[in-house]
Amino acid sequence: MSHPTIKDVANKSGVGIATVSRVLNNSSQISPQTYEKVMKVIKELNYVPNATGKKLSQNRTHVIAVIVPVINHPYFAKLIEEIELAADARGYSILVASSQHRIEREREILKRIAQNEADGAIFVTHYEHKEEEFKGLAIVSIDRHLGKDIPIVTTDNYDATKKAVEYLINTGCKKIAFLGTKPSQASEVSLRAKAYLDTLKEHNLEPFVINKIVSHGNENEVIDEFLNKRHDFDGVYVSGCILANTLRNRLEELDDIEIPNDLQIISYDGDFCLNNYSPTTTLEQPIKDMANKCVELLIQLIDEEKIENMINSFNCRFVKGKTTK
Amino acid sequence: MSHPTIKDVANKSGVGIATVSRVLNNSSQISPQTYEKVMKVIKELNYVPNATGKKLSQNRTHVIAVIVPVINHPYFAKLIEEIELAADARGYSILVASSQHRIEREREILKRIAQNEADGAIFVTHYEHKEEEFKGLAIVSIDRHLGKDIPIVTTDNYDATKKAVEYLINTGCKKIAFLGTKPSQASEVSLRAKAYLDTLKEHNLEPFVINKIVSHGNENEVIDEFLNKRHDFDGVYVSGCILANTLRNRLEELDDIEIPNDLQIISYDGDFCLNNYSPTTTLEQPIKDMANKCVELLIQLIDEEKIENMINSFNCRFVKGKTTK
DNA sequence: CTGAAAGCGCTTACAG
DNA sequence: CTGAAAGCGCTTACAG
């Protein structure tokens, strides 16, 4: 027999399949003799339990879906990695799917969850969904308010940004730009632009905002616009890691601007440009903690436990790099 | 009823469950009246078939596992993304797991496949496995020879490298270094160093190799060693994208070397440093084609079809950037 | 401590 | 074209 089943083990051990199941799961007291006997046969037969049978009988897949716009993006890749580790530690596997910025793909994936491909999902979306699309599904959202029953994990976009902008001001910046790739839907991320505007207003400085809806891969559009309109900025707040890296690379080409003396840069997200020797000053999202929280919340949802906080905001860490004074 | 089953649909439609199943799968001729009747009830009940039931009865999960050393690495993130798209196009979902450079984790994941969490796996490993560990599993390997029954997808490491080194020589380089993060096990990747050595020998040039076993995140060790020992190199072949990016960032700090005039650089993999305006000259792996081939081969294996070629080597594309003359 | 039986939600010969 | 029944490989009350 190529793939022995629990029945084969039971027969060969001379016990019932229920007993084999109990041995496998340590689910109740088993006499030592029985235990040994069954274990021996399991080894002899090289028996491996079939997860699908278990899933069906338990109505639980122990799979978490992770839905992101794209996989090949340093922030999402890191997020997926940390979610995988957190999930694995709790006995869950992850199913990864990318929406590729297409809402129909997101719907397709949500459907798979309704079909019990996974017990629930951690969802990063930039699209508008009706709350009813999530009905009956266990979902945790990152950065987006998706509905009142859907917990959200995010960062202190407003406070961290305010602190960053104040840092630029305190180190002498007079003319500070905001560069961002605007989310297409209302998201916590929008608070970054708000914090920037509020802070500049408090200090009587004139704002300059470029905040475009742009897909990953086209970040240069934002930078182009900035470089074209650039007058005499001495500070720039950049709303994401790719933008920051793109900006830095572009400025290096120009050769006439020295960082941080002529221009200071602070980015959101963290520094993913792999440049250990000249890191960007950044508001680093605690991705590992966020991933852990996502998994924890999702499993609570799956287990129908009560969720304490529907909004879970993590503090970014201000990490001084070489792009600020 | 919160989650109607096929039985509920059958009862309400006044047909047998087999008929509902046939409607769902278009698996045989159905009278139009029956079809309409059943479809109507499916909609009324908002019925969604349960994938686990299907998996158990068909003994097929339609899930592919992707096992990589780390997820948060531009090459692997891109690979995962392309595999997901290729798999999705064929009706498969992907389960992603990272070994985190630990062989025990790889074994854990292989076990999950034996447990039918997935129908098979696309496997990138740097570790030594016994061929019997893969027995009975549908596995496709990238870059590594894992056993005679395991198809492998790779690139023309030798030829592409030879061409790159010759390019450096033809553009005037006299002293060319090889920088690499050596795979800990025999892998097609090792052919890069061989090609480098052979080519230098042919041209009577003296080789200089730094090829260390180094995990992702510690690529600086290689670069450090190179910068310390650096004498008067005018060319460097770098065996991977992270190394290339690290090297370039480090050299920028030094300020006394102009690229490509003083030093030319060519890397393997492709250019993942997100620097559109000053890309690295690179031997770009056709990751999309490779991903497609992996999925195609794996599904053939799962379907127990005959595999034509056990070794599938793709040609890298020489992409001229700004780091060579 | 243990076993027989029902059940999880599907698919698929088989018979009609 | 359709239905009853067996089967996929487990778990879990229930009874002992």
Side-chain angles (χ1 to χ4, degrees), chain B residues 278-310:
Chain B
S278 172
T280 305
T281 297
T282 189
L283 301 166
E284 186 177 86
Q285 298 195 40
I287 301 189
K288 188 191 181 86
D289 296 339
M290 295 168 73
N292 262 314
K293 179 55 89 174
C294 285
V295 171
E296 181 190 321
L297 286 167
L298 186 54
I299 292 177
Q300 287 180 348
L301 233 40
I302 293 168
D303 291 341
E304 295 180 330
E305 288 171 15
K306 199 165 175 329
I307 303 280
E308 295 282 318
N309 299 305
M310 293 305 276

Side-chain angles (χ1 to χ4, degrees), chain B residues 5 10 20 38 72 79 86-87 121 145 166-167 169 175 189 198 217 235 245 250 276 286 293 299:
Chain B
T5 70
V20 178
V38 172
N72 180 28
L79 181 66
H145 184 76
E166 280 168 352
Y167 184 93
I169 295 172
K175 190 148 183 196
V189 170
D198 289 355
N245 198 33
R250 295 289 301 277
N276 296 327
K293 179 55 89 174
I299 292 177

Side-chain angles (χ1 to χ4, degrees), chain A residues 75 79 82-83 86 122 140 142-143 153-155 284-297 312-316:
Chain A
Y75 176 81
L79 181 67
E82 293 296 350
I83 289 174
I122 296 169
V140 172
I142 292 183
D143 279 344
V153 171
T154 186
T155 49
E284 186 178 84
Q285 297 195 43
I287 301 188
K288 189 191 181 85
D289 297 338
M290 295 168 72
N292 263 313
K293 178 55 91 173
C294 285
V295 171
E296 181 191 321
L297 286 167
N312 300 269
S313 180
F314 286 79
N315 293 332
C316 288

Side-chain angles (χ1 to χ4, degrees), chain A residues 15-16 19 22 29 31 34:
Chain A
V15 301
T19 300
R22 289 178 190 117
Q29 291 294 76
S31 82
T34 309

Side-chain angles (χ1 to χ4, degrees), chain B residues 6 9 17-27 30 35 38-39 42 47-49 54:
Chain B
I6 197 171
V9 176
I17 60 169
T19 301
V20 178
S21 175
R22 288 177 192 120
V23 168
L24 252 18
N25 300 295
N26 290 303
S27 49
I30 300 276
Y35 184 87
V38 172
M39 278 313 248
I42 286 175
Y47 166 72
V48 179
K54 185 169 195 159

